[in-house]
Each structure stands twice: as C-alpha cells, then as structure tokens.
Amino acid sequence: MSKKERKLKTFLLEIPEEIWEKWKNTIPRSISLNKALIELLKMEGKK
C-alpha cells in the first residue's frame, strides 16, 4: 500500500508533561517520536 493509499488517523494527545518527557527521553534521537509511538501502539495492540 503506497503512502497515498494509506489511511491515517490524526489527533491531538493530551499527556501530562512529566509522563511525556520521561517517555520521550527513552527514545533514541535517530527515531522520530511519531514512529516510536506507532511502534508502541502496535505492541499494545498485539496484547
């Protein structure tokens, strides 16, 4: 499926800053936060 065909869900998250900062600091700078969040959601969805 090409990027043009892919359906995306866009929304604003409201996360307490302390929680966001702790999570964000665990992600290597070579990975975008968006990609890291998608991977986290994929893992949670498999449970």
Side-chain angles (χ1 to χ4, degrees):
M1 182 177 284
S2 73
K3 283 189 177 188
K4 279 188 174 182
E5 296 173 321
R6 189 185 300 167
K7 293 182 180 182
L8 298 175
K9 179 69 175 170
T10 303
F11 56 93
L12 176 68
L13 295 172
E14 291 185 9
I15 303 169
E17 190 172 347
E18 181 181 345
I19 292 171
W20 175 256
E21 290 296 323
K22 283 181 180 179
W23 175 77
K24 181 182 82 168
N25 291 336
T26 67
I27 308 303
R29 291 191 180 258
S30 61
I31 300 172
S32 75
L33 293 177
N34 190 64
K35 285 183 181 180
L37 187 53
I38 289 169
E39 289 303 313
L40 178 63
L41 293 172
K42 284 181 183 178
M43 288 189 306
E44 287 299 315
K46 290 179 182 177
K47 290 184 179 180

